[in-house]
Amino acid sequence: MPARDHIGLAGPDYQVDIERGKIREFARAMNAPLGDFLDGPAPVVPATFFVSAPYTWGYALERPRGTAFAQIDEDLSVPLHAEEEFRFTGPLPRAGERLTARAVLEDVREKSGRSGGKLTFLTMLTEYRDRNGRVVVEQRSTTVTTARNPGDGDWVAETPDYVPAYQGLDPGDPFTDIARAGWDDLVEGEGPGTINTGPLMLGDIVRFQGVVGEDNPLHSDVPWAHANGYPTVFGLGMHQASVLAAYAAHWIDPSTVRRFRARFRNVYWPGDSMIYAGQVKSLSSENGGRRIAELLLSCTRQDGSTLVDVDMTCDLS
């Protein structure tokens, strides 16, 4: 059966135990060694933390693991990530909480790509409920598959020279100079400025991949990437989306995040220089005293092309 005929298909419930150690690993892999994530008995989760849940505790469209999603007739061996969104209905979950998750195939749509091939977009909605059955997190993951692949001979990509230059074995904090801002410090159109963290190391990709649990060898095994028509391994979209979340967490209290939506624009490679920026899109005071900040975040590379852009909503009430 084609994927569209499976809209509404749901998988089984699974438990997500939010562990302090997992939060620490995730925070370090996304370049956010902040006290918000590392200190105390119940640190808050980073905004993109739940990208790891389907791989660590449950299942995903690409990793159905014996669930009903295995019957979907779609080649997901070389998927690309189109979009990821997290919505939090209230305060972000913290270490020590147990949530119950369940995923459903929410939508399937098709369109023609720029080179004429068919693109299929599949959106999975995963809801995370607390002990009282209340939805506390909604995660929407959109995967795109194509009728063509790099092995068809029409793949064109320029990859940068990759020269490993590790400064140490532990991930650093490239955003340490960003000052934490409160509501009164925020100004529309302004932000912490642009930060160029230099060439991306393969080790950075592998560290994040391992923490998330996404084990596709296209992100870590160069001969495998060659065999599938790619010039080398490439990065995970959620890696740079998470580093953008780290940029924002240095700037604004990460416990205030209520929405984080990332769109993935281009494939990126080891050796690409990662350039991060953010600004306030709008500020508004709502009834009941809520103070809402809408942020725009972006990750670009040395040629100016956008890799990831993010819309983020924070409640600083």
Side-chain angles (χ1 to χ4, degrees):
M1 295 174 63
R4 173 167 289 280
D5 292 344
H6 290 285
I7 292 176
L9 180 68
D13 290 353
Y14 62 91
Q15 304 300 312
V16 177
D17 289 307
I18 303 177
E19 305 155 351
R20 183 183 178 196
K22 188 69 174 179
I23 294 175
R24 291 173 69 89
E25 287 181 344
F26 196 96
R28 292 187 185 281
M30 63 185 273
N31 298 111
L34 297 169
D36 307 86
F37 306 131
L38 306 184
D39 295 344
V44 69
V45 299
T48 59
F49 176 81
F50 286 99
V51 71
S52 66
Y55 298 106
T56 303
W57 291 281
Y59 52 87
L61 192 63
E62 298 87 353
R63 302 288 190 282
R65 295 189 174 126
T67 66
F69 296 104
Q71 64 187 283
I72 296 177
D73 185 18
E74 191 75 27
D75 183 7
L76 294 164
S77 59
V78 189
L80 294 175
H81 208 163
E83 186 173 305
E84 190 83 15
E85 181 180 24
F86 303 92
R87 289 180 179 267
F88 305 94
T89 60
L92 272 68
R94 292 179 175 271
E97 297 183 28
R98 167 175 284 187
L99 304 180
T100 299
R102 191 185 193 203
V104 60
L105 183 63
E106 184 179 51
D107 188 35
V108 177
R109 56 190 176 86
E110 297 178 351
K111 73 174 188 178
S112 295
R114 284 175 291 184
S115 59
K118 183 184 76 172
L119 302 176
T120 302
F121 295 82
L122 304 96
T123 300
M124 287 272 282
L125 166 64
T126 302
E127 293 182 330
Y128 299 83
R129 298 178 182 270
D130 63 15
R131 296 179 187 273
N132 298 317
R134 182 176 66 93
V135 176
V136 294
V137 185
E138 290 182 350
Q139 174 185 4
R140 284 180 171 82
S141 304
T142 300
T143 298
V144 59
T145 64
T146 176
R148 298 183 179 181
N149 62 64
D152 293 337
D154 57 359
W155 178 264
V156 177
E158 290 188 16
T159 60
D161 292 334
Y162 177 60
V163 181
Y166 294 99
Q167 302 303 310
L169 296 180
D170 291 326
D173 184 355
F175 309 125
T176 187
D177 291 334
I178 295 178
R180 181 66 61 85
W183 175 260
D184 292 334
D185 303 310
L186 300 177
V187 178
E188 291 184 2
E190 297 185 6
T194 298
I195 296 179
N196 186 335
T197 61
L200 182 72
M201 298 292 103
L202 180 55
D204 299 327
I205 297 173
V206 172
R207 178 184 287 111
F208 185 83
Q209 183 184 20
V211 169
V212 169
E214 209 286 31
D215 54 2
N216 193 319
L218 288 173
H219 302 302
S220 57
D221 192 312
V222 174
W224 181 263
H226 290 167
N228 282 274
Y230 290 89
T232 186
V233 299
F234 57 94
L236 295 80
M238 279 308 300
H239 182 192
Q240 297 313 311
S242 296
V243 179
L244 282 171
Y247 174 104
H250 284 73
W251 177 23
I252 295 175
D253 182 349
S255 69
T256 67
V257 178
R258 296 296 177 266
R259 176 176 174 267
F260 185 97
R261 181 189 181 196
R263 290 170 297 275
F264 307 106
R265 304 301 190 184
N266 283 289
V267 174
Y268 66 92
W269 317 94
D272 275 332
S273 288
M274 299 289 106
I275 303 166
Y276 306 96
Q279 66 178 40
V280 177
K281 177 183 178 182
S282 65
L283 299 168
S284 62
S285 297
E286 300 182 354
N287 292 336
R290 295 182 68 207
R291 294 175 167 179
I292 303 300
E294 299 286 351
L295 310 179
L296 298 176
L297 310 170
S298 66
C299 174
T300 58
R301 60 181 160 201
Q302 63 279 353
D303 63 1
S305 60
T306 299
L307 305 179
V308 186
D309 58 49
V310 168
D311 296 318
M312 183 170 164
T313 303
C314 295
D315 185 348
L316 286 85
S317 301

